[in-house]
Structures are given as C-alpha cells and as structure tokens.
Amino acid sequence: MDNIARAVSRRLNIEYRKVEATLRLLEEGATVPFISRYRKERTGSLDEVSIREIESAAKAEKDILARKEVVKRNIEDAGALTEELEARINEAASMTEIEDIYAPYKPKKRTRATIAREKGLEPLAKMIMAGNISDCESAAARFVGKKGVEDCNEALSGAKDIIAEWASESVRLRNITRNSYNRYGGLSAAAVKGKEKELQASPFAGYDNFSRNLRRVSSHQYLALRRAEREGLVKVKFFIEDASALEDALRRAFVPRGASRACQEVISDAVADASGRLLRPSIENEVASSMKSDADKVAIDIFADNLRQLLLASPLKGKNVLAIDPGYRTGCKVVALDRQGKLLEDSVIFPVPPRLDLDGARCIVERLIKKHGLEVVALGNGTASHETEKFLKESGLIEKSRIYVVSEDGASVYSASDIARKEFPDKDVTVRGAVSIGRRLIDPLAELVKIDPKSIGVGQYQHDVDQNELRNALDYTVMSCVNAVGVDVNTASEKLLSYVSGIGPSLAANIVAYRSQNGDFSSRQELKKVARLGPKAFEQAAGFLRVPGGKEPLDNTGIHPESYGVVKAMASMLGVKTNQLSANNELLDKIDTHALAKQGIAGIETVNDIITELRKPGRDPRVDGDNEAFVPGVETFDDLRVGMVVPGVINNITAFGAFVNLGIKENGLIHISQMSRRRIQSVGEVLKLGQKVDVKIVEIDSLRHRIGLSLLL
C-alpha cells in the first residue's frame, strides 16, 4: 500500500497523505461518490475527479507491480535472473521499460535468428560482435558443412540475423528508435486501389493523400483513419522523415568501438536489417497502440462528459405530459403520462402521410389533453417528427412554447429490453418507446439510466474505442450523476437504485421487493430491514437515498445519518429545535462553524456541507438549468441560405466540433475553428450539451445535405 501510494502521489502530484487516506478508504470498500461527499476530513477535501484519478492510477501501479513479478519469475525459470537484472526490473517505472528489459529473455517464435542458432551460428555472431576478426568470411568458413550450412554466405547471413535480433532487443536502440518516432515520425494515408470513388463518397474523403507529423495528428483523425482502413478504403502507414539519419544513429550506438573494418561492415548491415525489419515495425506497433490509447481516452472523456450533461439536464417536474413517438405508415404512438411518469392511456394518431387523418388526430389529442389535464408535449425527434410538430402547432390545441422535441436515441433499445417488458408487460414496443420519450422530459436521469449509455448517441467513434474502458467510464459517470442528484427510495426504479453508492443490482432488487411487500419506506433506518443490506451498504448508500415526507425530515436531505448528531448540536448551540433550522438562513448564519469543529463533533468541511444542505433541503441540483422549449427558425433544409442566422441547440459534442439541432432533419456542424476568436483546446471550453445558440450558416452541401456553421460570439 505504501509503495503504491507514494508512486501515485508522484504520478498525480497529489500530497501523499491525501493519496494514502483515499486508497485506504477504497480498500475498505468505500465508493468514490461517498468518499468525496462524506470523508472530506480524511482526504483533505479531494474532489470526485481527483479521487477517481487516484483509483485509476493505483490500478495502473498494481498492474505494473504484477507484471514485474511475472517477468522476474519467467527470467528466473530460464536461469538468467541476476541481482543486477532484478534491480533493473524493480526500478522500471513503466510497462514499456519492463518489456524492453524482458525482450531478450522472452520466449520467441521460430525466427530467422532461431533458425541460425539451430545451425550453430551463434558463436560466429559473438565473434563478429567482439570485433577482433579481420576476415569474417574466413571465420565463417569454419562453420560450413556443419548442421546444414552450405557456404560462407549462408553462415554470414545467419550470423547477421542473430546480430539483428540482438540489436532489436537492445534497450538503447529501442529508445533511439522510439525517440526518433516521437520527434520525426509521421502518418500517411492513401486510397486503396479501386476504392477511390467509394472513398470520395464516404465521410473519410478528406483522408485521401493524408500526411502529417504524428504530433499533429488529432485523436479524432486517428480514430477516423483506423475506421477508414478497417472498412478497406485507405491504407495507413507510419514513416520517419529521415530514416537514414535514424540508421546512422543506430549504427553509432551499436557497432563496437575499435572493431575491425570487416566486423563493422557486417554489424552495420545487421543493424540496417534490424531497423527496417524488426525495430521500426515493433516501435510502430507501440506508437499505434499509444496513439489508440490516447485517442480512446479523449473520445471516452468526451462521451462521458456529454453523458453527464445529458443525465443532469433539467427535469420538467410537476407537469402532465402528452408523449408522442412519431411515424409515417404505422402512425404516431401517443401516451398520456402523469407528473410521476405513470402511463394513464395510450392511442395512435395519423396526422402525416400516407393516411394524413388530421381531423381524427386532432380529436384524439384534444380528448387526451382534456381528460388527463395534459400540459406539455414531448415529441420524439425521429421519423416524421417535423411533420407531426407542424400538425401540433397548427392544431391550436397546445401552445407552441409547450412543445418539446426530445431525442429518441436509445428509446427502441429500452422498449425491447427486459426492464421495459417488466414495466409494461401488456404493451407493445411502440407504446413503451413513447413512454420513454415522455419520461425523458419529466426526469432525464431516472429514464436514461435504463438504457445502455452507448445507445444514447452522444460522442464520437464510441464503437471504435476500447469497449471495457468505455463501459467503465460510462458506468462510473452514471453512478456519479445518480449520487450527485440523490434518489427517492420510494419511487426509484430498480435500475436507478442499482447505481446508488453501495447498492448494486442485487440490493436494488431487494429494496424494490421490500417496498412492494411493505409499502413505502418511512425512514432511512428502515432500509436496514432490507435483506442483505448490512452496515457497510447502509453507510455507503444512506446519504444518497431520500425519503420525502418521512418521520425524519433530515432523511430528505443529503445529510448523512451519521451526522444527524451534528445538526442537533447546531440546534442546541442556538437554543432551537432541529426542525427550525431547515431553510432558515437567519438561524444558519448564526452558527459558529469553527466552534463546532473545535468540539470534535465534526470537521469544518462536514459542518459547512450540512449547513449548505439545510439552506435548501431536498433541493434538486438540476433544476437550475434552462428548460424552455426550443423554437426553430427554419422548417426544411431548402429554407437554408449561406449567411443566414438561425437558432439551434447543441445536441452532440466531439473533439472536432459541435453538432447543432436546427429544428430540421439535418444537424449542422460548428467546427472547433468557428467557435472562438481565441485558440481553444476543446469544444467543452465554449459549448455544453443542450445549450441554446445562435449560429450563422457558412456552408451548405446540397449533395450530402451537410451544413457548416459558425458560432455567433
């Protein structure tokens, strides 16, 4: 633990005591949200991002330690482990260093060098490397006729193969090659022969005859190139700007000083062979892996950030909703939902071609609105959305400002899932999809947690990145969002509960089962009656679960039960009852936080957090966002003109730009270069998902229906 904590402290430049305390809490089974929220005194108030980084860095350090042990054991089994070699392995700071040290001892496939060794040519290779032979051919002649060596050329060729392998395993030569690629390496791409037209018609048209220094290849470009290559459209190659300079550097580093001219020539040939056949391909694989890893991280971070913004979008609480899943041939599925998202009634209307039954559709919508007191419309943004929106606006049944266009991404995945079947066993997938659209407006977080995050449609190249890393990042993001908001234990779905700190799928199912058998929970303490929900799970979960209207008012706040005594101490200090503190800023302002902390009841950070909660008990952090419906300025693609200024909503953020919903079928793109007068590093510096913007149309591609935009500053 101590060594890992010190290594993590150095890697992240975070004070050792904070790292050590965080790692101990994680080892004890505490979750990241719990530590960041309720253990600030122990960690020195580290935020959730830092704690997550410590968790990830510690795993990386453990992986390095585990690999060192495997390498030492394998070398020892081969009878080659020395004290010096063991020390080098122990001192290695990265996987790359470990693998470079291990390379000469790693079991090898049958190579040209192993074949040469089988022919007994390793002694010749050693003689040449010693540099004392004046005539290499004469030395090689001694090996002719032995073990199938037919002539001097074959003997020398075999010796060169062995020397080339030694060169390729040299840590020094690998570092020289690695550094050369880091400084002078490049990446090129060209259309595969016969695929030129297909490439030009694809999203990857800009990568024909692509060539760039590796340091200037962006993450999204690299992922795009890999996908284009995988689809057989381009051939991607690495290159060195001055390969001859690299070979010269390798020769100077490897050819022994004072070696005879004959030996120097043989070794130089072997080094040139090693560079082209072994070293460069190996380092290129390393570079490719590193670039892929870096590109994955950028793409995953963007996806996770987009997902966080989507999950934390403002809910539209207190409204009965008419939700519509639009469609042409099969009609538009409409459902009436109450303020909690309960399905009241469902129907089908046909306000669009081919049936175009406007009167019938108007009659059904009017009846549903009057019968259930429906106040807003949640309209899916898929097929026939625009035509359905036009019908609604022209019907006069509901104000235009109360019509919300909601993303359908993932709704079909939810509607066919086990969760949906369990919720609505007697309804078909179309009704379930409409319900999901409506619930996304009522409470985005509660509904979207039911869907695989990859299906939500925010991010870039999510199917090209490391899927395990993506899954971990997205699962963590969902958990972080759920715990940041808090969960009503009496209304939350099983899926939503499963993301609460310390709960998980099994306990979530037990909570729902207990609720079904015994009715609503009256307090947080009652959670202890749930099967298998022990003290540790209660400690981790209780602060994030809410019990509105329960016996204990503090149960509907983010104050942990372990700190209820602190609230009583505050009330006692002021000579009032605890329930008088809630939302009473005048009283709360009188609390001497430092005096409380000095009494040892709680740390100053905890005291301040409790006061913050008491100022706005039960507050939903999401309600501060903009929740006005978006009213588009154009109706069709053909309405667009270069130079036109139109309103839009950011609906996806990538490394290269932001996609904007303009209220029509096609999204526009604001390239990162069109976002700010200053140079920015990421789109997230300027824009957020769901943000309303005014944009100027700078380019229209009528053939591919692409729209280029600039952000009005």
Side-chain angles (χ1 to χ4, degrees), residues 562-623:
E562 67 186 10
S563 295
Y564 287 0
V566 181
V567 181
K568 291 178 181 177
M570 290 176 176
S572 177
M573 175 183 284
L574 297 173
V576 299
K577 295 181 179 180
T578 55
N579 60 4
Q580 291 178 262
L581 294 176
S582 182
N584 191 330
N585 287 334
E586 186 178 349
L587 282 176
L588 294 171
D589 288 340
K590 295 178 181 179
I591 295 173
D592 188 338
T593 56
H594 292 282
L596 276 172
K598 284 180 180 178
Q599 292 177 26
I601 297 174
I604 191 70
E605 293 92 345
T606 297
V607 171
N608 286 331
D609 284 349
I610 289 171
I611 291 174
T612 299
E613 282 291 329
L614 288 172
R615 289 187 189 281
K616 293 184 178 181
R619 172 182 171 269
D620 187 333
R622 300 171 294 168
V623 298

Side-chain angles (χ1 to χ4, degrees), residues 104-290:
Y105 309 97
K106 189 180 294 186
K108 297 176 177 63
K109 298 178 182 178
R110 187 172 169 80
T111 63
R112 283 163 48 171
T114 56
I115 294 170
R117 288 190 181 93
E118 290 168 1
K119 292 181 179 181
L121 295 173
E122 189 163 22
L124 175 59
K126 289 180 177 179
M127 291 164 59
I128 294 171
M129 282 301 299
N132 299 322
I133 303 171
S134 58
D135 186 348
C136 292
E137 288 195 6
S138 296
R142 292 182 239 164
F143 294 85
V144 175
K146 299 177 182 179
K147 295 186 179 181
V149 178
E150 295 184 359
D151 53 34
C152 289
N153 285 337
E154 184 178 349
L156 278 175
S157 179
K160 287 179 183 178
D161 288 339
I162 294 170
I163 294 170
E165 186 170 272
W166 289 338
S168 73
E169 294 169 346
S170 163
V171 173
R172 187 178 181 190
L173 266 57
R174 290 186 69 80
N175 280 332
I176 289 171
T177 307
R178 192 175 286 125
N179 292 336
S180 184
Y181 271 91
N182 288 338
R183 294 181 65 185
Y184 307 114
L187 193 66
S188 66
V192 171
K193 191 174 182 179
K195 295 281 187 176
E196 293 85 356
K197 289 184 178 180
E198 190 176 340
L199 175 62
Q200 290 305 315
S202 78
F204 311 108
Y207 293 106
D208 191 10
N209 296 318
F210 177 90
S211 182
R212 190 161 294 179
N213 183 281
L214 291 177
R215 289 179 293 182
R216 294 182 58 238
V217 177
S218 63
S219 61
H220 69 272
Q221 287 174 330
Y222 188 63
L223 291 175
L225 284 166
R226 287 179 65 98
R227 182 186 289 183
E229 185 173 44
R230 191 167 60 251
E231 293 180 6
L233 299 175
V234 300
K235 180 66 178 175
V236 178
K237 292 181 180 179
F238 288 94
F239 64 86
I240 287 282
E241 292 174 6
D242 191 348
S244 61
L246 170 61
E247 281 191 16
D248 289 343
L250 295 174
R251 288 191 186 97
R252 287 194 298 272
F254 196 71
V255 177
R257 291 182 180 179
S260 69
R261 183 180 295 275
C263 290
Q264 286 185 16
E265 289 179 357
V266 173
I267 297 170
S268 292
D269 288 346
V271 169
D273 174 47
S275 177
R277 182 170 59 88
L278 301 171
L279 272 169
R280 286 182 57 183
S282 174
I283 298 303
E284 285 175 5
N285 286 338
E286 258 187 37
V287 170
S289 177
S290 177

Side-chain angles (χ1 to χ4, degrees), residues 673-692:
S673 62
Q674 299 281 354
M675 290 184 185
S676 175
R677 293 190 180 94
R678 60 185 174 87
R679 186 176 179 84
I680 59 174
Q681 297 298 314
S682 69
V683 178
E685 292 178 44
V686 180
L687 297 171
K688 299 297 180 185
L689 212 63
Q691 180 179 340
K692 293 182 177 67

Side-chain angles (χ1 to χ4, degrees), residues 376-425:
V376 296
V377 174
L379 173 64
N381 68 341
T383 303
S385 176
H386 182 68
E387 294 87 341
T388 307
E389 183 181 11
K390 184 179 179 182
F391 153 72
L392 289 168
K393 288 179 177 178
E394 292 178 352
S395 71
L397 295 172
I398 196 158
E399 292 179 20
K400 295 179 181 179
S401 61
R402 294 185 179 182
I403 300 172
Y404 293 80
V405 178
V406 179
S407 171
E408 290 184 16
D409 286 332
S412 61
V413 174
Y414 160 78
S415 62
S417 68
D418 291 337
I419 295 173
R421 282 193 290 271
K422 191 173 180 180
E423 284 190 291
F424 303 105

Side-chain angles (χ1 to χ4, degrees), residues 223 227 230 292 296 299-300 303 452-457 459-467 470:
L223 291 175
R227 182 186 289 183
R230 191 167 60 251
K292 175 63 164 58
D296 281 2
I300 289 170
F303 197 131
D452 180 353
K454 287 189 296 183
S455 302
I456 294 176
Q460 63 180 94
Y461 301 110
Q462 58 260 40
H463 300 292
D464 299 286
V465 302
D466 184 296
Q467 294 302 293
L470 178 63

